[in-house]
Amino acid sequence: MLPEGVAIDPLTGAMSSSTGEYSKRLSEFRGVYRDSAALEKMLAERGDIETYRVVEHRQPGSDIFFGTTTMAPGKVGYEYFMTRGHYHERRDRGEIYYTQSGSGLLLLQSRQGDVRTVEMKPGTCAFIPPDWAHRSVNTGSATLVFVWCCNQDAGHDYAEIAARGMRQLVLDRNGSVTLAPNPNY
Ligand code: PA5
Ligand code: NI
């Protein structure tokens, strides 16, 4: 393994050197956003748009790796575009999110049911403690780009959040970012 500097475009999340990437599209979020009718309407009008993209830089054999997540602005009904949200498979692995551009809310919840948010804005580095589920929400009108870094062996555990979402929804209520209890809990 050798040291390396990777250039990151703060407006697009593009990296000068990467080892993998994927994008998530609107149709993959059926049943995730609460307003299914709004989701189907958006699919009919705008097609299967990309709502976020993840690019990673991984050196095999290293303990840590990093990458970018780039999220489009938008809403499905009153709910802002968001990531799936997950716990890490390894309960002793945290993560950091450093926002480069745009604005959003990082929504976190512990296994015990505590909910916290951390504002995502350029220059803010969010600390995600081990065993807190995390979901990023683009609450702004611009693309949200953040750099993440965690252990390669952290793993993603999507099951619980996929089953009933997070405890709080992040909604646009008359132009203000508002948390509302998720009726599934
Ligand atoms: O490891 C992370 O927390 C991030 O790289 C996320 O995986 C990324 O932001 C996409 O979110 P999710 O995996 O919840 O869809
Ligand atoms: Ni994570």
Side-chain angles (χ1 to χ4, degrees):
M1 262 180 274
L2 291 169
E4 194 182 347
V6 176
I8 293 175
D9 183 328
L11 295 177
T12 66
M15 304 205 298
S16 61
S17 161
S18 62
T19 55
E21 64 178 86
Y22 66 86
S23 50
K24 300 299 287 178
R25 296 188 173 277
L26 197 55
S27 63
E28 299 174 74
F29 289 82
R30 287 191 167 106
V32 176
Y33 292 104
R34 291 197 65 82
D35 190 340
S36 310
L39 188 141
E40 295 304 328
K41 185 165 179 272
M42 187 176 269
L43 276 170
E45 288 173 1
R46 294 178 59 188
D48 199 5
I49 55 169
E50 178 185 285
T51 57
Y52 63 100
R53 160 187 299 270
V54 176
V55 184
E56 66 165 44
H57 181 281
R58 189 189 290 265
Q59 293 241 18
S62 169
D63 53 347
I64 56 170
F65 75 130
F66 65 94
T68 60
T69 300
T70 301
M71 303 179 67
K75 279 177 287 183
V76 177
Y78 296 111
E79 250 178 314
Y80 295 102
F81 280 0
M82 60 192 180
T83 58
R84 287 165 287 184
H86 58 270
Y87 287 95
H88 290 158
E89 274 165 23
R90 279 198 57 158
R91 294 185 173 209
D92 60 346
R93 295 299 194 226
E95 188 163 4
I96 60 150
Y97 281 6
Y98 181 68
T99 300
Q100 295 237 287
S101 64
S103 57
L105 202 65
L106 176 59
L107 179 63
L108 304 112
Q109 75 187 42
S110 72
R111 301 269 180 190
Q112 292 72 34
D114 298 321
V115 173
R116 292 284 191 285
T117 58
V118 176
E119 199 185 342
M120 299 177 82
K121 58 183 181 184
T124 296
C125 188
F127 169 62
I128 300 167
D131 219 20
W132 280 69
H134 42 287
R135 162 179 279 168
S136 312
V137 185
N138 186 348
T139 56
S141 51
T143 304
L144 173 65
V145 179
F146 61 94
V147 176
W148 46 265
C149 181
C150 68
N151 290 91
Q152 290 202 36
D153 63 5
H156 292 92
D157 178 358
Y158 290 104
E160 183 174 332
I161 305 302
R164 51 183 184 157
M166 294 197 52
R167 287 175 181 271
Q168 297 282 323
L169 310 174
V170 185
L171 307 176
D172 174 354
R173 285 278 180 236
N174 304 314
S176 332
V177 179
T178 309
L179 292 187
N182 177 353
N184 291 344
Y185 279 82

